[in-house]
Structures are given as C-alpha cells and as structure tokens.
Amino acid sequence: MSVAIKVENLSKRFLIRHQRRERYATLRDSLASGAGRLIGRLNGKAARDPETEEEFWALRDIDFEIHQGERVGIIGRNGAGKSTLLKILSRITDPTAGRIRVSGNIASLLEVGTGFHPELTGRENIFLNGAILGMTRAEIQRKFDEIVDFADVEKFLDTPVKRYSSGMYVRLAFAVAAHLEPDILVIDEVLSVGDAQFQKKCLGRMEEVGRNGRTVIFVSHSMHTVLSLCNRGILLEQGRIAAVGSITDVVTAYSEQGASCGMSREWAGGDGPGNEMIRVLRARVELNDNVTNGCLTVNTPFTIAVEYRTNLTADLFYVGARLKTIYGELVFPSGCAPMLIEPGVYRSEYTIPGDLLNDGVYTIDVGFVRDGANLLYRAEELLTFEVHDVERPPGAWMGKIPGTIRPRLDWKTERLSA
C-alpha cells in the first residue's frame, strides 16, 4: 500500500506576546516604545523582549505515515495541537521544522468559510473550489448536480454565500470537498455545525470515500464518531504523539489519559473556563465520606460539584450538566430548577446514585443558561472520571456487562403452577 502522507520531525512554534504588567504608561512612553520597535524592524534588528514574548511549541518532533485508503482519526484534548497539524497538512501554515511528503491533492474543510469567497455565489464557489483542486470544468460539471443535491441548497445556489447560514455554508463546503474526488480529504470538527441528519450523510459519504481508495483524515471530540468512521488513530498530547495504531487502541489510550487527571480541577487566580459573564473556579467529583480508598465503583454514589463566579442578575438562571461516555455518547442530561441569581460566587452540585452507571470512563459538560434558552457558556469535558467494576461472585457474567447503565433493579420470581 502506497504512502499518502509522510511526516518527519515536524514542529511548529508560535510566539506569544504578553502585556507588561506596568502600573501605568503615559502616551509619551507608548509612542517611544512603538517608535523603537519600528526602527528595530527597519534595521532588521527586531530583537525579542523576554518580558513580553515567549515561545509556544504547538507541535514538537511529530513522525507518522498515512497510507492510501486509510481513514485516520486524530484525537486529543483541547490544545493538543490537532488543528495546527491539520493546517500544516493542508498547507495553510508552514512548519517551523521538519517536512511533509504528500502524494496527491488535498481537499480541506477546517472551519466555516474555508476556501469560499463570500462575494461569490454558491454556484461560482463550486467551480472555484474545483479549479483549486485541479479539476477541469468538464469534471466539475459532471459532479455539479450531485454536489447541489447533497448540500440541499438549490434554492440559494445563485445567492452570495456571505448570506448563507452557518449550516448552509458547511453543507455546501463539505459537498464540494467530498464530491470533487480529492486524493486526501481533511475534515476538522466543523461538521458539528450541521444537524444530526446531515452529519449522518457526511459520515456515510466519508466511508464511501475511504472505500474508493482515497484517504480521510478526521478530527473530532466524539469518540463514537471516530470509532465508527476510522480504522487508524493518532493521539496527540501537548503537541507530541502519545499513541499511534488501531483506532480502538488509540481511543482506549485517550480514555485512560483523561481518567487519570480529570476528577478534580481548580484554576489558580480565577482563570478558569468561561467568559465575562460566567467563570468556573473549580470542579470536583466528590465521593461519600465512607469511601476511603478514593476508588469510584459501580455501586458508589458520588457528587458532581461546580463552583463559579458571575456578575449577572437574572430571574431565570440555571446550571445544567451532560454526562457522556468517553466515546461521546450522551448518558443523560440533568439541570437544576430555574433560580434568581445575583453577582457572587456560587456552588452547584448534584448526586448520582450508586448501582446506576456501568464501568467505564465518563466526561461531564456543564452549561450555564439564562431566561430558559440563552446559553451563557458551556464547558466541554470539564471533568473526566472512571467508574470501576467490583468483584463478581463465582458463576457470574464474565467480561464487561454491555450497556451504558446497569441499574440494580428488584426482581421477583414466583411459581405459578406445578
């Protein structure tokens, strides 16, 4: 099997600028500082200031091969370097070091609007993207009706795409990328913008692309989607490769990585997830007092607790949480009753009873909502924890019991006749 992509010693460095922590700065100081930087650049001596600039390596010494026809899922926590890697593979940005060898043309769908000209119509953008991919006009025309039918935008085909909704934009962009027969199809999590029916169509199309011998590279936080689509996986952790292999083994490594560090999180200085309205301060999985070994088992009740700061005053405010498996499957949602809230620091919690969850790794998303439908902020994968099985009696079911939940239910059996 021929190699579609070969990556050798790939690294990408960014320079992060920080504002100096000065008590105040006069206009004269700002003008003098700006003039000094300008003169330095003109003289080719724009030296870095260690007090205001630091290096950040988004990727470091990455090596891997992707063979033709493989469907590869790239996974990892936020900030692991997934999007940076895709941008380098798509030649949107250059690496700091290392090299990439690509056999064939690449079609990329990395974010809403990538590769489209907002002033052109949908029809014109189909031909523009096809030309960028090296397709002839005749080849594009042969696929044109199929693209329009898949995207379901026939009514707006001659409307400038700047007037499209985000869902229409993504539908057309994906249809173009997937139907113009690129050798390599690169997809970021942008498909989450579409509805469930369209996502199902997209996954079916990507499976078809893979079966036809073309290569698919897919980034997603949904482990369920990655497992259903991909046959190989790459796990990134802090810009380095943590695992490469079959998608099942890589997802397992990802789940173990998350479970080992996510049961309690606290952000120093109040710099946690959030925005100007809501800021998470700490989150914990708390076990009952009678649990001394710190092990969360299938029959252990536990509490999910979140502390947060808000500057809001609202009559209808509530906190909701979604419990998901490590594969992205929703187990159940839960939320508190709407309440009056005023500026301050709050703690919200709820308890999950024992004898409910099956053994496995789970994540918690927490959302903050005002006025019933106004989502203020959602913290994805705020906590990650593992529920362990307990020793079963002799003759019991061997291996993992199927299902996401395994509640202990009362069964009764009576003899009805001889």
Side-chain angles (χ1 to χ4, degrees):
M1 189 180 297
S2 60
V3 176
I5 296 177
K6 183 177 179 63
V7 175
E8 299 176 292
N9 300 318
L10 186 71
S11 297
K12 179 62 179 178
R13 179 191 64 189
F14 293 99
L15 296 179
I16 303 176
R17 300 182 184 277
H18 300 286
Q19 184 73 32
R20 281 199 204 178
R21 295 176 177 254
E22 296 177 347
R23 191 171 159 212
Y24 65 88
T26 65
L27 176 61
R28 183 176 65 181
D29 293 336
S30 299
L31 291 174
S33 176
R37 288 196 297 270
L38 176 60
I39 293 172
R41 290 194 186 99
L42 293 175
N43 293 332
K45 299 179 180 179
R48 289 175 29 225
D49 184 345
E51 294 183 7
T52 60
E53 197 170 80
E54 68 171 307
E55 291 183 345
F56 171 73
W57 290 90
L59 297 171
R60 202 68 182 261
D61 301 327
I62 300 292
D63 290 278
F64 62 85
E65 286 185 356
I66 296 176
H67 294 94
Q68 181 181 347
E70 287 187 323
R71 301 190 301 274
V72 180
I74 300 178
I75 61 177
R77 304 185 70 84
N78 292 332
K82 304 184 298 296
S83 295
T84 301
L85 177 58
L86 291 196
K87 288 178 180 178
I88 294 176
L89 293 177
S90 304
R91 298 170 182 170
I92 294 173
T93 186
D94 294 325
T96 304
R99 63 178 180 175
I100 300 174
R101 297 178 182 176
V102 177
S103 176
N105 57 0
I106 297 179
S108 302
L109 187 57
L110 304 186
E111 59 186 33
V112 177
T114 298
F116 274 15
H117 194 296
E119 299 294 337
L120 300 181
T121 65
R123 183 188 305 274
E124 292 167 335
N125 271 297
I126 291 175
F127 283 93
L128 174 64
N129 270 254
I132 291 172
L133 288 173
M135 311 289 290
T136 66
R137 187 173 183 84
E139 289 173 317
I140 300 170
Q141 287 175 330
R142 190 173 68 249
K143 290 282 185 178
F144 186 86
D145 291 341
E146 191 176 349
I147 292 171
V148 174
D149 181 64
F150 188 94
D152 195 22
V153 294
E154 183 176 3
K155 187 185 297 185
F156 308 98
L157 198 56
D158 295 306
T159 301
V161 297
K162 67 181 181 180
R163 297 195 176 98
Y164 283 17
S165 69
S166 59
M168 293 166 59
Y169 222 125
V170 167
R171 291 204 304 271
L172 183 59
F174 179 85
V176 171
H179 285 80
L180 290 181
E181 300 183 355
D183 298 305
I184 302 168
L185 180 60
V186 178
I187 305 288
D188 204 344
E189 192 116 37
V190 67
L191 293 183
S192 60
V193 176
D195 56 34
Q197 183 179 0
F198 179 69
Q199 289 179 29
K200 187 175 181 180
K201 280 176 63 176
C202 291
L203 292 175
R205 180 60 189 176
M206 284 191 281
E207 289 177 356
E208 183 181 338
V209 168
R211 286 196 301 269
N212 291 338
R214 297 196 293 277
T215 306
V216 178
I217 301 174
F218 184 53
V219 165
S220 177
H221 283 99
S222 171
M223 297 301 105
H224 176 71
T225 303
V226 170
L227 283 167
S228 65
L229 174 67
C230 303
N231 51 23
R232 287 191 69 230
I234 298 174
L235 173 61
L236 293 180
E237 181 179 0
Q238 297 181 348
R240 298 179 183 271
I241 290 183
V244 178
S246 72
I247 190 62
T248 304
D249 292 342
V250 171
V251 168
T252 300
Y254 174 74
S255 67
E256 293 173 350
Q257 175 195 91
S260 65
C261 62
M263 284 188 64
S264 179
R265 301 178 70 185
E266 184 169 353
W267 290 268
D271 189 25
N275 52 34
E276 66 277 4
M277 295 175 287
I278 294 286
R279 186 69 60 183
V280 178
L281 303 178
R282 57 186 60 86
R284 289 171 53 87
V285 175
E286 298 178 350
L287 306 182
N288 286 3
D289 293 339
N290 60 345
V291 179
T292 58
N293 61 359
C295 181
L296 185 56
T297 71
V298 292
N299 50 24
T300 304
F302 61 96
T303 298
I304 304 295
V306 181
E307 296 180 22
Y308 51 94
R309 182 180 64 248
T310 179
N311 57 8
L312 287 174
T313 298
D315 293 331
L316 294 174
F317 173 88
Y318 72 89
V319 183
R322 295 188 301 191
L323 178 68
K324 301 186 299 185
T325 69
I326 194 63
Y327 307 117
E329 301 165 301
L330 178 65
V331 181
F332 59 80
S334 180
C336 67
M339 57 185 174
L340 168 68
I341 195 171
E342 296 179 344
V345 175
Y346 291 81
R347 172 187 166 101
S348 296
E349 64 178 53
Y350 70 102
T351 297
I352 296 178
D355 298 316
L356 176 63
L357 297 179
N358 204 351
D359 56 307
V361 179
Y362 298 87
T363 66
I364 293 284
D365 298 345
V366 176
F368 304 89
V369 180
R370 180 176 64 183
D371 300 331
N374 184 8
L375 179 64
L376 301 173
Y377 183 77
R378 176 178 290 126
E380 302 278 352
E381 296 186 8
L382 188 64
L383 293 170
T384 306
F385 59 92
E386 184 170 7
V387 176
H388 297 273
D389 201 355
V390 291
E391 185 177 355
R392 298 174 189 154
W397 176 281
M398 301 304 294
K400 179 178 172 63
I401 296 177
T404 304
I405 61 174
R406 47 185 281 189
R408 187 182 299 275
L409 305 176
D410 292 330
W411 281 65
K412 293 182 180 180
T413 301
E414 60 178 315
R415 189 182 188 190
L416 299 179
S417 64

